[in-house]
Amino acid sequence: MLEETFKLPRREPTWKGVYRNLRLAILNRSLPPETRLIEVELSQAMGVSRTPLREALAKLAQDGLIRSAERGGYVVTDPRQDLADAYHMRAAIEGYAARLAAENITNAELQRLRENVAANMTIDLADTRRRAELNLEFHQIVAYASRAPRIIQAFDNQREFIFTDEDMQLHTLDACRQFVREHELLVEALELRDGDRADRIVRAHLHRAAALLLDNGRDATSTGQVKKTSDAAAA
C-alpha cells in the first residue's frame, strides 16, 4: 500500500515535504517514468490536503521531473536528460565562478571553506542531512566569492540541483569521501589563486556527481522509499 511508504519527520512547509519525497521517488525510480500521478491517491497516501500537493506537483513540473498528462494530472518523466543538462549548466556556472573566486576570495572565506572541509571529514557519513547542508554551504561560499552578481544569480537559480540529503542517500560512502577530497583540492587551488585549476576541479567534480546521481538513482529502486508527510510538518 502507498500509505505504508510515506513518512517525513522533519518540520517544514507541507508542500516542500511532499516535493522532496516525490522528487526522491522519481530519482530512485520508486515512481518510474510514465507513472501517472493522481492527486486524490497521492493526497490520501501522503496524508496531506490537495493544496500543498498541487504546489509540490507544480514545482516538480517546473523542474522537468513530471509533465501534464493528456487526460489531466501529471505523468513522471525520465529525469536523466534533464538532470544531465542541469549539471552541465552547474559545471559551466560554478566552474567560471571558481575561476573568478580564485582572484577575489578573501582570507575569511578561505577559512570558512577549510572549516567546512574539516567538518565534512569528521562527520558521520550516514548523517545525510548535515552533509547536504555542508555541501550547499561550500558551493555557495565559492559562488559568492566570485563577486559577480550575474554568476551568483545563475547559481541561486540552480540551487535545487545541489544535492539534498535525499540525493546523498543515493551515493555510496566511497563516493561521498571522494566528493570531500575534491572540495579539499578546490580549496588548495583557491589558496594558490589558480583559477584554471579551480575551474577544472569544479567541472570534473560536478560531471562526476551527475553521473553518480543518475547511475545510482537508476539502480536504487529496491532501497529508495517515498514517505508520508508527518502531522508535525508545518503548513
Side-chain angles (χ1 to χ4, degrees), residues 75-134:
V75 172
V76 175
T77 65
D78 186 335
R80 286 174 293 179
Q81 187 57 53
D82 282 342
L83 283 175
D85 290 346
Y87 271 84
H88 287 312
M89 288 178 62
R90 277 194 64 197
I93 293 165
E94 295 189 44
Y96 186 55
R99 179 182 293 275
L100 296 177
E103 302 174 5
N104 299 313
I105 196 166
T106 66
N107 289 334
E109 287 168 326
L110 284 170
Q111 181 59 30
R112 288 177 62 199
L113 290 176
R114 294 188 202 101
E115 292 171 355
N116 180 287
V117 170
N120 245 321
M121 287 180 171
T122 58
I123 196 172
D124 182 355
L125 289 176
D127 188 350
T128 56
R129 184 179 302 184
R130 179 59 180 149
R131 288 195 293 107
E133 291 172 350
L134 289 169

Side-chain angles (χ1 to χ4, degrees), residues 8-110:
L8 188 66
R10 71 175 66 207
R11 289 184 176 274
E12 62 185 351
T14 300
W15 77 266
K16 192 170 184 179
V18 174
Y19 165 78
R20 289 165 64 90
N21 277 281
L22 289 175
R23 181 177 184 273
L24 176 61
I26 293 169
L27 292 179
N28 68 24
R29 300 213 162 195
S30 293
L31 292 173
E34 300 307 316
T35 299
R36 190 175 178 203
L37 302 180
I38 301 173
E39 284 188 13
V40 173
E41 292 182 1
L42 286 173
S43 178
Q44 293 174 349
M46 304 187 80
V48 298
S49 69
R50 294 173 72 175
T51 297
L53 175 60
R54 286 169 178 166
E55 291 182 74
L57 292 173
K59 183 66 170 67
L60 290 167
Q62 180 182 332
D63 293 348
L65 296 178
I66 61 176
R67 69 174 188 275
S68 296
E70 293 182 0
R71 294 177 295 169
Y74 292 94
V75 172
V76 175
T77 65
D78 186 335
R80 286 174 293 179
Q81 187 57 53
D82 282 342
L83 283 175
D85 290 346
Y87 271 84
H88 287 312
M89 288 178 62
R90 277 194 64 197
I93 293 165
E94 295 189 44
Y96 186 55
R99 179 182 293 275
L100 296 177
E103 302 174 5
N104 299 313
I105 196 166
T106 66
N107 289 334
E109 287 168 326
L110 284 170

